[in-house]
Amino acid sequence: MPNDRTDLSSGRLARRVALTLAFFMALIPLGHKLPAFGPMPRIGPFEAEPMRGGVLALSVLICVVLASFGRQGRGPFKVLGYLFDTLLITTAAWACWRFYVDVTAMHQSIVFFEPWQAWTSLAGCLVILVMTWRVWGAPLALVAGAALLWFLWDFRGDFVQATTENLWMVLDDGVLGNIMDIVLSTVFPFIILGAMLEGCGAGGSLIRVSFHTMRRFRGGPAHAAILASSLFGAVSGSAVANVVGTGVITIPMIKRRGFSANFAGGVEAAASTGGQVMPPIMGAAALVMADLVGVSYLTVIVAALIPALTFYGALFASVIFESRRLGIEVAETIESDMMVTAQDWRNLALVAIPLAVVIISMIQGASPSGAALTALAVLIPLSFMNPAVRQRPFALVEAFARGGLTFAQLMMAVGAIGIVVASLSSTGLPTMLALQLDALSSQSLTLTLVIAALGCILLGMGMPTLPAYLTIIVISGSAIMALGLSALTAHFFVFYFGVASAITPPVAIAAYAAAAISGGSAIGTGVSAARIGVAIFAIPFMFTFNPQMLLVSAAGGDAGTLDVLLIIVRSGLMIWMLTSAANRFDARRLSLPEAALRLAAAAALISPVAYIHLSAVAVAGLAIVFNRLNFGASADRKQPAP
């Protein structure tokens, strides 16, 4: 029998070693951005070749250490496991070193590669696939593996040159190509900032203030979970991390209020997933989107505002309808552990001020990474206003190291996406897909978008936000833009459905994380999350057909004040019709024909054709008035479950 105490000790040691390595690795890309101060020498910038290769090799080392040292069991299988891990580290180090040497040599003259260099490139890709599977699970690794197999089946030209140049020894579209450069130069400072925001001690205060703010609503803790998750998710880069961070507190309290375990988990999963579409951070996807589309970061977060608020309005409406259905009343008291103190209100500044610094810095012309570093410089001394940080300042060092660890794990996903980019760009598959969708769009644009949306959900299942978005945009982005959409609108369409995959059964990773906390069934929680967050499937169609919802000219959203007000009214009615139909409840339980009528009205409200959506406005208004006049008196009476 293995010694459990030894295994536990090994696991703790592994995490400490990994965090230590992550702390020092994080200094590399951070130093790349720091300017010189007075007589102090500048740390960076570094050349691209050693920067990308060195960080990737260190990331592999960190992830292997974290996975290896806590390995269970004894005997020859454990020894073989250590030998395999050593092989992974050695191969990654060699491949990254050859990247530095060979790409540097390519700057000097034309290089003709040898077969061993092609095999080195393939070996590096295999290491990335193995580590992606370990860190992120099967879905992303399988997608990248399928792309690599497609490349090997359909590569163009000489095998040695094609494999070496396209997959590894290139600064453009390979594993160590442009996407990795964007992540290193733009996303990394925000990952560190997000980790420091979590580590400064404001998370608990954020939840308590949310409960205090929502105490007069029927849903109480369910509404508080939505508010807290929207704020926490704005800086968190993962829906699952958001569920775990806030759900351990909110889900038990939602259940105590009288909601089912599946509904409690579904609310938290949907709200945590929605945090990824909430500006200003959007799980770091806003930064990458700005780079890929070629617009400013401020343009992206302005465009994201109305759709994000619409989604959270839909979540609030779902909880209201469920509260009415169950006959849940406003609680007279608030639980003692949720009482707000003066320090809780002060701790909100630890989140609000750094985010304000980011936005103000961007308005004044700073780059995204420069804005994040400025906010980080403000946050570190500001965090000492929290007594918990003053008592244990080392918590900030731990938070920085956790940010480095998150970054190391993200690098595995970025490497896998690099394989997808290199494989597809060299074989022309996205162009072929674009031609097929373009031919289909001549028959029906709506049907084409529905097919594209289903493809986005399938591709995004099981992946975190940023890898899901990048994978989908690489594979289907050009096909969607071929339908006549602006680049920004197409990216938002892809992004929303990539995010939605986290609550879409059967692979609803955010819902499964919530089910582990709530005690509900995994599939039942996933179905509840999809029902509660059903608006996330409709909002992309709303801003695709009505780009004024995105507000910015880059999306074709130039509109006057009246147009914006009208789209807000239509969006509000759309989520009212959609969420009440999904819950089959408004002031009373809705019959199937009533729910179907509301779904039809919600779909018609999306149409850009004036007489269609204006007719739908009239139908929705009549449905609401009829419901209120005839059944308003029964709204407070408990109804039987459907």
Side-chain angles (χ1 to χ4, degrees):
M1 294 289 291
N3 189 323
D4 292 338
R5 181 173 297 178
T6 301
D7 289 333
L8 181 61
S9 176
S10 298
R12 289 174 178 169
L13 176 62
R15 183 164 181 82
R16 288 174 183 171
V17 172
L19 284 171
T20 302
L21 291 170
F23 177 86
F24 288 105
M25 186 203 68
L27 293 175
I28 298 173
L30 187 63
H32 177 70
K33 288 292 176 181
L34 290 177
F37 293 98
M40 294 177 62
R42 183 183 176 96
I43 302 175
F46 307 114
E47 294 181 0
E49 295 85 352
M51 176 78 167
R52 298 183 199 178
V55 171
L56 180 62
L58 279 173
S59 296
V60 170
L61 174 61
I62 290 166
C63 293
V64 168
V65 167
L66 194 62
S68 176
F69 279 82
R71 182 179 284 112
Q72 301 291 317
R74 288 181 175 177
F77 290 105
K78 191 169 185 177
V79 173
L80 288 174
Y82 284 132
L83 291 175
F84 180 69
D85 290 336
T86 302
L87 177 63
L88 289 175
I89 295 170
T90 305
T91 303
W94 171 251
C96 290
W97 169 253
R98 291 311 312 177
F99 168 80
Y100 166 63
V101 172
D102 293 336
V103 174
T104 301
M106 289 170 66
H107 294 328
Q108 312 297 326
S109 62
I110 298 176
V111 175
F112 295 97
F113 295 106
E114 300 292 334
W116 65 268
Q117 291 170 305
W119 293 114
T120 296
S121 300
L122 285 175
C125 291
L126 290 176
V127 170
I128 294 298
L129 292 178
V130 170
M131 295 310 304
T132 300
W133 191 302
R134 280 188 174 185
V135 174
W136 297 106
L140 180 55
L142 290 175
V143 169
L148 182 59
L149 289 176
W150 176 263
F151 170 82
L152 295 175
W153 175 265
D154 195 43
F155 69 88
R156 311 292 168 82
D158 178 73
F159 171 78
V160 171
Q161 288 292 124
T163 301
T164 311
E165 287 185 343
N166 288 301
L167 292 178
W168 199 265
M169 308 298 182
V170 61
L171 284 171
D172 296 328
D173 291 332
V175 173
L176 292 145
N178 288 329
I179 290 180
M180 182 166 290
D181 181 59
I182 292 171
V183 172
L184 279 171
S185 61
T186 303
V187 175
F188 170 75
F190 280 89
I191 291 176
I192 298 297
L193 177 62
M196 296 297 283
L197 285 170
E198 293 179 38
C200 69
S205 297
L206 199 64
I207 294 174
R208 283 189 289 273
V209 169
S210 297
F211 273 81
H212 178 78
T213 305
M214 297 290 113
R215 68 190 185 281
R216 300 299 181 191
F217 287 82
R218 290 171 178 262
H223 284 114
I226 294 170
L227 180 59
S229 294
S230 68
L231 298 173
F232 188 82
V235 296
S236 170
S238 167
V240 173
N242 199 0
V243 167
V244 174
T246 60
V248 291
I249 299 174
T250 60
I251 289 174
M253 299 188 74
I254 296 172
K255 290 171 63 179
R256 288 199 293 270
R257 181 57 68 91
F259 296 98
S260 68
N262 285 347
F263 185 84
V267 167
E268 181 58 51
S272 295
T273 298
Q276 306 301 286
V277 303
M278 178 63 73
I281 306 301
M282 297 167 58
L287 307 161
V288 178
M289 189 184 298
D291 270 312
L292 294 179
V293 177
V295 298
S296 71
Y297 171 68
L298 286 177
T299 298
V300 173
I301 63 175
V302 168
L305 186 59
I306 292 181
L309 294 178
T310 301
F311 176 68
Y312 274 97
L315 296 186
F316 272 92
S318 289
V319 172
I320 289 171
F321 295 140
E322 183 72 3
S323 302
R324 289 175 178 172
R325 186 183 72 81
L326 296 175
I328 294 175
E329 301 292 342
V330 175
E332 297 296 328
T333 59
I334 190 169
E335 299 184 31
S336 58
D337 58 347
M338 287 293 109
M339 296 296 291
V340 178
T341 65
Q343 185 60 45
D344 288 325
W345 291 107
R346 288 192 289 269
N347 283 349
L348 293 185
L350 299 178
V351 175
I353 292 177
L355 293 182
V357 168
V358 168
I359 295 172
I360 292 171
S361 298
M362 295 290 292
I363 291 174
Q364 292 179 341
S367 66
S369 56
L373 288 175
T374 303
L376 191 61
V378 170
L379 175 62
I380 292 174
L382 189 67
S383 62
F384 285 91
M385 67 180 287
N386 185 354
V389 175
R390 293 199 299 270
Q391 292 171 7
R392 191 171 175 270
F394 192 72
L396 297 180
V397 178
E398 292 177 341
F400 186 88
R402 285 195 299 272
L405 182 58
T406 300
F407 182 68
Q409 293 171 328
L410 178 62
M411 290 295 286
M412 300 301 99
V414 172
I417 294 163
I419 295 173
V420 175
V421 171
S423 300
L424 298 187
S425 63
S426 61
T427 57
L429 183 61
T431 303
M432 291 186 283
L433 181 61
L435 292 174
Q436 294 299 319
L437 281 183
D438 186 48
L440 182 60
S441 67
S442 62
Q443 306 297 320
S444 171
L445 176 60
T446 302
L447 176 61
T448 307
L449 286 173
V450 169
I451 293 172
L454 291 173
C456 292
I457 291 174
L458 289 172
L459 288 171
M461 282 185 173
M463 296 190 200
T465 302
L466 186 58
Y469 160 64
L470 287 172
T471 303
I472 297 167
I473 200 63
V474 166
I475 295 174
S476 60
S478 59
I480 295 174
M481 282 184 274
L483 304 178
L485 305 182
S486 69
L488 185 61
T489 304
H491 277 249
F492 263 107
F493 186 89
V494 161
F495 175 60
Y496 259 76
F497 280 106
V499 169
S501 65
I503 57 170
T504 306
V507 189
I509 56 172
Y512 295 168
I517 300 172
S518 69
S521 71
I523 295 297
T525 302
V527 171
S528 292
R531 175 171 60 87
I532 295 163
V534 65
I536 202 170
F537 304 102
I539 290 170
F541 289 94
M542 177 65 91
F543 63 65
T544 296
F545 287 111
N546 306 274
Q548 63 268 32
M549 189 179 186
L550 298 179
L551 298 177
V552 296
S553 58
D558 283 328
T561 303
L562 181 59
D563 291 329
V564 173
L565 291 176
L566 286 175
I567 197 65
I568 290 174
V569 170
R570 284 169 55 197
S571 299
L573 286 173
M574 185 266 290
I575 64 173
W576 193 328
M577 293 295 99
L578 192 61
T579 54
S580 61
N583 289 277
R584 286 192 59 195
F585 205 92
D586 191 337
R588 65 165 179 87
R589 186 180 178 185
L590 301 176
S591 66
L592 282 175
E594 288 174 309
L597 177 64
R598 291 188 175 217
L599 284 175
L605 283 163
I606 295 173
S607 173
V609 181
Y611 74 86
I612 295 178
H613 66 241
L614 290 177
S615 299
V617 168
V619 170
L622 288 173
I624 293 169
V625 170
F626 179 77
N627 196 279
R628 299 287 128 181
L629 289 178
N630 290 278
F631 305 105
S634 67
D636 293 326
R637 295 203 298 269
K638 185 174 181 177
Q639 302 290 328

